[in-house]
Amino acid sequence: MNAVKAENLTITYEGKPALEGVDFTLDEGETLLLLGPNGAGKTTLLKTIACFHGEYTGKLEVFGREPCEARDLIGYVPQSHSLNERVPLTALEVVAMGGIYRKGFFHFKIPGATIEKASEVLGFVGLDHVADRLFSELSGGQKQRVLLARALMSDPRLLLLDEPLSALDPSARGEVAGVLNKIKRERGITMIITTHDINPLLEIGDKVMLINRRLIAFGKPGEVLQDSVIKSVYGPLARVIPVEDRLFCITGDVHIHRHGGGGR
Ligand SMILES: Nc1ncnc2c1ncn2[C@@H]1O[C@H](COP(=O)(O)OP(=O)(O)OP(=O)(O)O)[C@@H](O)[C@H]1O
């Protein structure tokens, strides 16, 4: 089954196109790595699939439905989480929140079944030992894994992850990439992951999409990650280097947070 299907998709903000004429299909269980320079339209595409942004023309389907009809099937992990870290929530409570908001209620006491599920999911991301620690005191990699666990609370069939590796050091990147790999292998969840550094994720990417306000390339990693394709977007210094049986992609690209604080 198609998890996501876009046909001639053009996404606009107040009539101005941010991303134009995009076609692609992602099958259930596949992982798509979404690559493109700053301002390419990566977050815009994720938000539109997640039904947070609705200004588009063309066709966009999530499991055969319009995005807003498929909302319950989608988990979204934004680039900068909107948690107020001055509120003293433990890691377990942050995860449990993923099971509460979904139901549209505000609970003063978290139901036992929700806590039980949150403990199980926290264990799945390898963080049982920090359940009672304050979220604000966790390392960057641990925080990102807690946010992944929170997104898993609603049993999504499609996970949309906006820059899950940004602002992490190389070892934390490896940890988070390991959890994403586990989600793919053990839960079979379809994922779309935006990234500026594709290398730690290449192992789990079934498909790669390169965009720059339009679709530049879409296909298997080996098809998209070619010198000529990468150079056409990132310039002459960009290149793809085969290392043993792997590819290593150098784009010289960095993440720049351009939209000011919060809200993404
Ligand atoms: N809320 C908004 N209103 C108007 N324009 C927006 C809005 N959000 C994004 N844009 C514009 O849409 C274009 C694509 O932005 P988007 O954030 O999707 O790019 P991105 O590839 O995710 O970039 P980055 O890698 O820097 O996060 C940019 O020109 C951006 O300024």
Side-chain angles (χ1 to χ4, degrees):
M1 178 177 199
N2 289 160
V4 184
K5 186 178 176 66
E7 275 176 17
N8 199 20
L9 176 68
T10 291
I11 307 172
T12 52
Y13 290 104
E14 291 168 11
K16 287 197 204 121
L19 190 60
E20 282 186 271
V22 170
D23 290 278
F24 75 95
T25 302
L26 189 65
D27 285 333
E28 182 149 30
E30 286 188 323
T31 298
L32 170 64
L33 307 179
L34 180 54
L35 195 63
N38 289 121
K42 301 183 295 296
T43 300
T44 294
L45 180 56
L46 282 197
K47 283 186 171 174
T48 309
I49 294 170
C51 170
F52 294 143
H53 180 71
E55 203 186 306
Y56 69 88
T57 58
K59 185 161 141 181
L60 180 60
E61 284 182 355
V62 180
F63 297 109
R65 310 181 200 168
E66 301 232 332
C68 295
E69 302 289 314
R71 194 63 203 91
D72 282 354
L73 307 176
I74 302 172
Y76 185 86
V77 182
Q79 197 168 297
S80 51
H81 67 80
S82 52
L83 284 176
N84 181 349
E85 293 197 12
R86 277 173 297 184
V87 179
L89 290 173
T90 65
L92 187 66
E93 286 165 340
V94 169
V95 176
M97 278 162 54
I100 293 174
Y101 286 158
R102 182 57 63 132
K103 295 196 169 60
F105 298 115
F106 182 78
H107 291 261
F108 287 95
K109 189 171 182 310
I110 301 172
T114 306
I115 290 285
E116 218 168 276
K117 182 163 182 182
S119 301
E120 181 263 312
V121 180
L122 205 51
F124 179 80
V125 302
L127 287 180
D128 344 39
H129 60 292
V130 302
D132 297 327
R133 295 254 308 272
L134 286 178
F135 178 80
S136 58
E137 291 174 359
L138 301 180
S139 70
Q142 288 174 330
K143 282 182 184 165
Q144 191 58 262
R145 282 151 71 192
V146 167
L147 296 174
L148 287 177
R150 182 175 69 162
L152 290 175
M153 283 294 286
S154 61
D155 297 317
R157 282 170 66 190
L158 172 65
L159 255 186
L160 305 173
L161 302 141
D162 203 355
E163 297 274 353
L165 305 186
S166 73
L168 299 180
D169 62 39
S171 94
R173 282 180 177 215
E175 275 171 25
V176 173
V179 172
L180 293 172
N181 200 350
K182 192 173 173 202
I183 291 174
K184 177 190 168 77
R185 279 186 289 107
E186 295 183 22
R187 306 233 159 162
I189 298 173
T190 311
M191 292 190 280
I192 303 182
I193 308 173
T194 77
T195 185
H196 281 268
D197 180 6
I198 199 169
N199 298 305
L201 296 172
L202 264 179
E203 198 182 319
I204 62 168
D206 300 293
K207 299 275 168 60
V208 175
M209 185 191 289
L210 176 60
I211 59 172
N212 195 10
R213 300 188 151 259
R214 63 185 177 84
L215 184 66
I216 307 292
F218 173 75
K220 293 189 179 146
E223 292 162 0
V224 174
L225 299 177
Q226 304 212 13
D227 261 3
S228 57
V229 178
I230 296 297
K231 281 184 193 335
S232 75
V233 172
Y234 293 101
L237 295 181
R239 64 209 148 103
V240 179
I241 307 169
V243 182
E244 292 169 358
D245 58 346
R246 297 194 49 186
L247 294 172
F248 195 79
C249 185
I250 299 173
T251 58
D253 189 33
V254 289
H255 174 71
I256 301 168
H257 202 114
R258 289 163 301 106
H259 300 298
R264 300 224 316 166

